[in-house]
Amino acid sequence: MSHHEVRPAELDIRDVSCTAGGREVLSRVSLTAEPGEVLGVVGPNGAGKSTLLRTAYRQLRPAEGRVLLDGADVFRMPRRSLARRLAALPQETPAEFELTAHDVAAMGRAPHRRRIGGDRLGDERIVTVSLEMVEMAELAHRQFAQLSGGEKQRVLIARALVQEPGMLVLDEPTNHLDMRHQFDVLALVRRLNVTTLAALHDLNLAARFCDRICVLAAGEAVAIGTPVEVLTESLLSEVYGVHTEVGTHPRTGAPTVLFGD
Amino acid sequence: MRSPARAAQAESSSSTEATRPAPERVSPSERRISYPLVLVLLGAALVVAVVVGLAVGSVSLPPSDVTAILVHRVFPGWIDPGWPATYDTIVLDVRLPRVLLAGMVGAGLSAVGTALQALVRNPLADPFLLGISSGASLGAVTLLVTGATVLGTLATPMVAAFAGSTVTLAAVYALASSGGRMTTTRLVLAGVALSYVLSALTDLLLSTASDPHLLSSIRFWRLGSVAGAEWQTLPIPAIVVLAGLAVLLWQSGSLNLLLAGEESAGTLGLDVHRFRTGMFVLVSLMTGVMVAVSGAIGFVGLMVPHAVRMLVGADHRRVLPTAALLGATFLILADLAARTVAAPQEIQLGVLTALCGGPFFVWLLRRQARREKADR
């Protein structure tokens, strides 16, 4: 078992451009997630949110530009080293096999495990504790396929925690979740001392839980800043083509986005 | 906020297991018998299957004599041979190669099926469904009919079958991933389509063959049989299947990661593309060699992994050894049935496994449909 406190990472996306099928889906996006901050990525469908995240977790090599984690190019470091520092939740679910929730969470130990030989001392405890953090310890031995959407998402987040990462990349972690579980998942992420880059659909959730927000539109980062700076009626109307009323939450002070008339 | 590591440290003194309330619904995984017990039981079943497989046949021998012959063979000083000398010939020269081949092919097909299901993330995958076996058959038949030899007469069908299975798998993979990302559906469809074409080509080739003796032996082999087992044909499949099993077991952790999904496996540190390519070559090699010696024995690679997952869960570190044991036992018993049910006529082993496997496949489909319905 590691006895050190995991240090939050710094993610530096520099002038990243990506093409798909001859079309430019990201053009010269630059973005830095400071250690410990929660950075949201919002934007309309097809704006390039998932593409941007995929370059960060090394699934998609950008045509131009670099992605640096703590100053090192993620595409040049060994995959296992990257997996010990950065955990990601792509938008996919585990296959329909007889996997239990515990099996899924335990996969997060893989990058820490020796190539030959069994589990290391303490691996099991980290899995248990991570499942407890997402309140799934009691259901650990249920079949993953039979869990509800919210339970599945929490188990996948436990898998990411089991990696003991300094950086989390989450692709719409609140997708298909009801209000309470949307809130719980993001509140959990917020409590962790882990740098987080998360694509989010819901602007109110983004405003409530993110330190800063990056707005993507047609593959370009059109605004980066605190929720108050970024979520303005004029920008939202420009990016989404929808008339909105932006107010202020009476207690948290976060901006609130309502549909206009 | 606490990191998992720090929280683990803090809680290492308290026993969380004892205080946790029991879940309200018991899942199948909690009713499972323990893994060591499964291994012991299946190991015992395999030993029994081997002895029965050696004892039963056109001449039935007492199992006690069969056991004594085997023990005498391994530890010559232990027992005084009190059995007729003909028993030695029947057990060691006639039946043992056949039982060993059935066991090896059963273990190998089950392991290959397990690996393929993880590789394509589809529980319906099997060397036959993906066309690999048809490719191997075509390769072997081509050389048998044309009479060409590569690396000696013994190795010829195996080399040809391996070439056939590898080319087929590469073609299926290329077809499935052309014009974008590979999906499981396209992989299976490409496999099934190619498998029809390859079977038709094999039939076409056979219709040009003139030697009736060769033709009937090829027909028999194609439907799956271990009747042709001899000591001299055993070493190559033994080495390939055992080494293949060892490699699969060594890579079982990575096979586990594939279940998480392609991108997730990548984020957990696995080079998915390289790993999958290497595994596909290994699976082709194992399938090719097994098809060369025993023809197309279908559905074993489909049924056994499923039964095993119900017994020990999805972790490949457990699934692979268990599947090898169960597959070996199953095929030895199936072969016993094949040569005794309609004696003195022999039924092809592939026909028997298909008779069990077809209904199993339908049951699997219905179960999957029920689950999908329950999800909605």
Side-chain angles (χ1 to χ4, degrees):
Chain A
M1 180 165 45
S2 55
H3 288 269
H4 62 278
E5 177 68 4
V6 176
R7 180 175 47 85
E10 183 191 65
L11 181 76
D12 193 4
I13 295 173
R14 284 192 195 164
D15 287 329
V16 160
S17 299
C18 289
T19 51
R23 197 172 60 92
E24 192 164 60
V25 286
L26 276 186
S27 57
R28 297 182 70 82
V29 173
S30 289
L31 192 61
T32 303
E34 304 290 345
E37 88 168 327
V38 176
L39 179 55
V41 179
V42 303
N45 293 334
K49 299 191 291 290
S50 290
T51 307
L52 179 66
L53 263 53
R54 291 174 80 221
T55 64
Y57 61 79
R58 194 189 166 150
Q59 182 64 33
L60 182 72
R61 192 183 284 273
E64 279 170 63
R66 297 171 77 192
V67 180
L68 306 174
L69 188 69
D70 294 327
D73 192 323
V74 298
F75 285 91
R76 291 193 179 168
M77 63 175 84
R79 279 172 195 274
R80 281 161 59 91
S81 311
L82 178 64
R84 285 194 287 266
R85 228 20 218 142
L86 180 148
L89 251 62
Q91 285 201 51
E92 63 183 359
T93 48
E96 277 273 318
F97 287 73
E98 313 270 326
L99 289 167
T100 62
H102 178 276
D103 290 338
V104 172
M107 286 177 180
R109 280 326 279 170
H112 295 273
R113 214 170 259 148
R114 285 164 300 170
R115 281 178 197 277
I116 304 175
D119 302 351
R120 289 201 308 195
L121 207 67
D123 279 354
E124 188 50 42
R125 183 149 291 277
I126 292 170
V127 174
T128 308
V129 170
S130 300
L131 282 168
E132 275 165 6
M133 287 172 78
V134 298
E135 290 168 24
M136 284 300 294
E138 284 168 33
L139 303 181
H141 293 284
R142 286 272 185 87
Q143 298 283 304
F144 182 82
Q146 287 164 12
L147 298 176
S148 74
E151 289 166 346
K152 281 181 180 162
Q153 196 65 23
R154 277 145 69 199
V155 172
L156 292 176
I157 287 175
R159 184 185 78 199
L161 298 181
V162 167
Q163 285 176 258
E164 297 183 281
M167 177 83 216
L168 270 178
V169 180
L170 309 171
D171 198 352
E172 305 207 6
T174 55
N175 228 357
H176 309 304
L177 299 190
D178 62 30
M179 237 163 70
R180 192 204 133 187
H181 287 122
Q182 289 185 349
F183 194 92
D184 283 355
V185 160
L186 290 179
L188 172 68
V189 168
R190 181 76 262 181
R191 286 200 307 273
L192 299 168
N193 184 24
V194 175
T195 316
T196 303
L197 180 68
L200 293 167
H201 250 306
D202 189 311
L203 297 176
N204 286 307
L205 280 175
R208 170 74 173 77
F209 289 104
C210 296
D211 295 305
R212 288 189 304 147
I213 292 174
C214 166
V215 182
L216 277 187
E220 285 183 55
V222 292
I224 302 172
T226 62
V228 176
E229 290 165 355
V230 167
L231 298 179
T232 60
E233 285 164 16
S234 61
L235 186 87
L236 294 178
S237 128
E238 182 195 320
V239 170
Y240 287 91
V242 171
H243 180 59
T244 55
E245 301 242 3
V246 176
T248 305
H249 191 284
R251 281 209 295 281
T252 64
T256 56
V257 181
L258 301 171
F259 286 116
D261 38 27
Chain B
M1 185 52 211
R2 308 190 303 179
S3 77
R6 206 165 51 158
Q9 223 175 319
E11 287 171 30
S12 57
S13 53
S14 70
S15 162
T16 47
E17 293 292 329
T19 51
R20 195 174 303 142
E24 69 263 36
R25 190 167 53 121
V26 179
S27 76
S29 54
E30 279 160 294
R31 275 188 266 110
R32 278 180 196 142
I33 39 176
S34 77
Y35 176 59
L37 187 61
V38 169
L39 284 189
V40 168
L41 289 177
L42 283 175
L46 178 59
V47 171
V48 170
V50 168
V51 171
V52 173
L54 292 174
V56 178
S58 51
V59 183
S60 280
L61 315 177
S64 55
D65 281 352
V66 170
T67 316
I69 289 170
L70 290 179
V71 172
H72 180 70
R73 187 70 182 189
V74 184
F75 307 102
W78 284 22
I79 305 168
D80 285 326
W83 53 84
T86 47
Y87 282 17
D88 271 323
T89 317
I90 295 174
V91 170
L92 297 174
D93 294 342
V94 179
R95 291 189 189 157
L96 191 53
R98 184 167 181 162
V99 167
L100 283 181
L101 185 63
M104 257 159 17
V105 170
L109 286 175
S110 305
V112 163
T114 305
L116 269 178
Q117 286 167 16
L119 287 170
V120 304
R121 273 168 40 86
N122 190 329
L124 300 183
D126 153 295
F128 295 82
L129 207 57
L130 295 188
I132 315 171
S133 301
S134 308
S137 290
L138 179 60
V141 166
T142 307
L143 286 211
L144 286 175
V145 169
T146 55
T149 50
V150 190
L151 301 175
T153 32
L154 267 184
T156 295
M158 296 182 202
V159 173
F162 171 46
S165 58
T166 312
V167 170
T168 310
L169 191 49
V172 169
Y173 199 74
L175 267 176
S177 46
S178 64
R181 291 178 58 197
M182 186 197 72
T183 65
T184 312
T185 318
R186 290 179 61 181
L187 193 75
V188 173
L189 284 178
V192 170
L194 216 60
S195 144
Y196 273 111
V197 174
L198 293 170
S199 295
L201 283 176
T202 310
D203 284 323
L204 190 68
L205 203 61
L206 286 177
S207 68
T208 65
S210 48
D211 181 351
H213 180 69
L214 178 71
L215 210 57
S216 78
S217 78
I218 288 178
R219 285 231 170 88
F220 196 83
W221 159 81
R222 250 187 108 194
L223 287 171
S225 170
V226 287
E230 289 166 38
W231 278 112
Q232 53 171 352
T233 54
L234 282 186
I236 299 177
I239 291 167
V240 170
V241 168
L242 290 179
L245 275 174
V247 174
L248 286 176
L249 202 58
W250 171 45
Q251 293 295 338
S252 52
S254 300
L255 284 172
N256 283 346
L257 292 187
L258 281 185
L259 298 186
E262 207 168 307
E263 294 204 356
S264 301
T267 68
L268 291 165
L270 183 70
D271 187 339
V272 175
H273 185 73
R274 228 174 74 183
F275 176 69
R276 192 150 52 188
T277 307
M279 283 289 119
F280 274 156
V281 172
L282 178 70
V283 161
S284 306
L285 176 66
M286 292 175 74
T287 307
V289 167
M290 286 188 286
V291 166
V293 291
S294 63
I297 299 171
F299 291 103
V300 177
L302 182 75
M303 288 186 288
V304 173
H306 276 277
V308 166
R309 279 194 207 100
M310 285 179 197
L311 274 175
V312 301
D315 186 341
H316 286 93
R317 288 172 297 180
R318 293 177 169 200
V319 173
L320 281 164
T322 317
L325 280 178
L326 183 65
T329 311
F330 173 76
L331 214 61
I332 289 172
L333 293 178
D335 181 51
L336 179 66
R339 60 192 158 94
T340 51
V341 165
Q345 240 344 304
E346 205 173 291
I347 307 172
Q348 281 97 341
L349 191 46
V351 173
L352 258 187
T353 57
L355 281 176
C356 308
F360 182 84
F361 193 84
V362 173
W363 172 77
L364 213 62
L365 279 175
R366 287 178 59 103
R367 194 171 83 127
Q368 214 172 38
R370 265 203 308 276
R371 275 195 182 171
E372 273 158 24
K373 215 169 171 183
D375 275 355
R376 259 180 249 125

